[in-house]
């Protein structure tokens, strides 16, 4: 009886392609598993832990279904009920992450909860670190304590795009868009879009005190709230006192709507209304503004907020 594995056996060439495909599949499975193990080791090396982690998706992708993922750093922590991360086998620089529940974040012993009804993230990294990040959040809601008071911010959706600047590896551009943005007890902020320039240290620094002095460039900030349309640009600095410093140049339509919003959010007092309306009238008469569109400057200095020279109240706090 002739051996079927003998090339001289005519049947060998009938089965050879299937044998070759089987060997290639076995080799690819071996490589696929090595890639999966390498990604798991990289996560563990960077402080990520989990309760369980199942890998699937062979042969087209690597999908990690992770239960109870958590990360603990120096002064910072994060955990989530579950997440799913998907990568292509030979393109581990790009990952799609789907978070299944609310994020529990600890920052310098200060707890934050970021809930949502859907949170997808696309991450692209290279040898220099994070290159791009895209984030789509459905019905986000952030809860924390700020200056001894409960703070809750929520919206219909949030879209964020972050990209590393080509000329400086540590600075990033961030584009943000949100719809129906609210704060605390139904106080509507409105529809917000913005473009910011900041240092990655703002997100990665684990010691909150070390953030003092960090600068955020507001390249564009647009707000639509009822009859109020506002555009702003300027520079903000995280002051050592825990308050914001800097200035924003405002260009807006409907001064009365702006004054109403400032009063609603406690940024100005009722007694300041007439002074603010007079200031707007002067800006219209002497500042090159029109009846519909007015230019004023919002200052944050000495722990206080000023609209031009009118003191509105304390400057916003950036830290607890």
């Amino acid at each position: 009886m002739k051996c079927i594995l003998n090339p001289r056996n005519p049947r060998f060439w009938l089965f050879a392609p299937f044998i070759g495909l089987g060997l290639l599949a076995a080799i690819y499975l071996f490589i696929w598993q090595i890639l999966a193990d390498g990604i798991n080791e990289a996560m563990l090396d960077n402080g990520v832990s989990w309760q369980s982690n199942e890998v699937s998706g062979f042969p087209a992708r690597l999908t990690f279904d992770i239960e109870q993922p958590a990360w603990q750093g120096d002064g910072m922590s994060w955990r989530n009920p579950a997440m799913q991360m998907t990568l292509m086998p030979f393109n581990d620089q790009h990952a799609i992450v789907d978070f299944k529940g609310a994020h529990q974040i600890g920052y310098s012993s200060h707890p934050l909860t970021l809930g949502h009804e859907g949170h997808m993230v696309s991450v692209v990294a290279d040898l220099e670190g994070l290159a791009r990040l895209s984030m789509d959040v459905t019905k986000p809601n952030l809860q924390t304590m700020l200056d001894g008071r409960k703070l809750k911010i929520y919206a219909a959706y949030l879209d964020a795009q972050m990209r590393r600047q080509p000329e400086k590896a540590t600075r990033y551009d961030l584009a943000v868009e949100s719809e129906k943005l609210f704060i605390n007890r139904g106080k509507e902020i409105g529809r917000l879009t913005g473009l910011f320039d900041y240092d990655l240290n703002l997100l990665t620094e684990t010691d909150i005190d070390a953030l003092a002095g960090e600068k955020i460039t507001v390249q564009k900030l647009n707000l639509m709230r009822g009859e109020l349309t506002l555009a702003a640009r300027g520079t903000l600095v995280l002051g050592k006192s825990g308050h914001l410093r800097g200035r924003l140049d405002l260009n807006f339509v409907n001064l009365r709507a702006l004054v109403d919003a400032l009063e609603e959010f406690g940024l100005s007092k009722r007694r300041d209304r007439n002074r603010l309306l007079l200031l707007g009238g002067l800006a219209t008469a002497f500042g090159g503004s029109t009846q519909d569109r007015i230019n004023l400057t919002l200052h944050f200095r000495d722990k206080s907020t000023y609209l031009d020279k009118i003191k509105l109240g304390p400057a916003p706090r950036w830290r607890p």
Side-chain angles (χ1 to χ4, degrees):
M1 182 177 180
K2 293 183 179 181
C3 176
I4 196 173
L5 296 179
N6 188 339
R8 294 181 179 180
N9 189 329
R11 294 182 180 181
F12 172 82
W13 299 107
L14 178 65
F15 293 99
F18 301 100
I19 296 172
L21 287 175
L23 289 174
L24 288 175
I27 293 171
Y28 182 73
L29 175 61
F30 177 72
I31 296 173
W32 184 89
Q33 189 61 57
I34 289 176
L35 292 171
D37 292 342
I39 292 170
N40 279 332
E41 289 178 8
M43 288 193 291
L44 290 170
D45 290 343
N46 283 277
V48 180
S49 61
W50 50 78
Q51 188 178 80
S52 65
N53 184 353
E54 296 184 1
V55 187
S56 61
F58 179 84
R61 62 186 184 275
L62 289 161
T63 298
F64 300 80
D65 288 294
I66 304 175
E67 295 292 329
Q68 301 294 329
W71 176 80
Q72 180 66 55
D74 183 14
M76 187 184 295
S77 63
W78 166 84
R79 57 188 174 89
N80 193 278
M83 76 179 206
Q84 184 181 80
M85 182 175 68
T86 302
L87 304 91
M88 297 299 103
F90 296 100
N91 184 17
D92 58 0
Q93 295 179 344
H94 183 202
I96 304 294
V97 185
D98 183 8
F99 295 102
K100 305 300 183 181
H103 303 276
Q104 303 294 332
I105 303 168
Y107 192 85
S108 292
S109 302
H110 183 71
L112 301 92
T113 300
L114 177 59
H116 57 85
E117 293 187 8
H119 185 184
M120 294 285 292
V121 178
S122 172
V123 181
V124 177
D126 55 26
L127 295 177
E128 295 184 6
L130 179 64
R132 295 195 309 274
L133 182 146
S134 300
M135 182 170 61
D136 183 29
V137 190
T138 303
K139 293 187 177 180
N141 64 87
L142 174 67
Q143 299 182 56
T144 186
M145 297 293 293
L146 185 63
D147 204 18
R149 292 178 291 183
K150 187 175 181 179
L151 175 66
K152 182 178 181 180
I153 302 174
Y154 53 100
Y157 77 87
L158 174 68
D159 179 78
Q161 309 285 330
M162 192 169 81
R163 182 184 62 182
R164 186 175 62 218
Q165 296 179 3
E167 64 276 5
K168 192 172 182 181
T170 62
R171 292 202 70 83
Y172 286 74
D173 293 318
L174 173 66
V176 177
E177 180 179 355
S178 69
E179 188 72 42
K180 296 182 180 178
L181 185 63
F182 289 84
I183 185 170
N184 286 344
R185 299 175 181 176
K187 294 181 179 179
E188 184 178 2
I189 297 175
R191 183 177 186 273
L192 184 72
T193 60
L195 180 62
F196 308 91
D197 171 354
Y198 66 98
D199 198 286
L200 186 63
N201 185 54
L202 195 65
L203 300 179
T204 59
E205 177 58 59
T206 58
D207 182 4
I208 193 170
D209 292 324
L211 293 177
E214 288 289 341
K215 181 175 71 172
I216 304 170
T217 301
V218 182
Q219 300 176 359
K220 180 179 69 174
L221 181 65
N222 295 329
L223 173 67
M224 297 182 65
R225 181 183 189 266
E227 297 179 354
L228 173 64
T229 301
L230 181 147
R233 61 186 305 170
T235 301
L236 301 174
V237 178
L238 306 185
K240 292 182 179 180
S241 65
H243 295 82
L244 284 180
R245 294 190 291 109
R247 60 178 283 170
L248 292 174
D249 295 320
L250 309 181
N251 179 282
F252 57 91
V253 175
N254 199 322
L255 177 61
R256 290 186 180 275
L258 175 64
V259 173
D260 289 341
L262 291 173
E263 289 180 3
E264 181 179 346
F265 288 95
L267 298 176
S268 69
K269 304 296 183 182
R270 182 73 180 178
R271 64 176 182 267
D272 296 323
R273 170 175 284 268
N274 290 334
R275 296 172 62 198
L276 291 171
L277 293 175
L278 176 61
L279 178 63
L282 293 174
T284 300
F286 303 108
S289 304
T290 66
Q291 290 290 340
D292 294 329
R293 189 169 293 277
I294 299 173
N295 298 304
L296 291 173
T297 302
L298 191 66
H299 298 272
F300 305 108
R301 63 175 185 267
D302 302 325
K303 303 181 184 180
S304 299
T305 301
Y306 296 84
L307 188 59
D308 273 15
K309 295 183 179 180
I310 297 178
K311 184 176 180 179
L312 300 180
R317 291 189 63 86
W318 64 268
R319 61 158 298 167

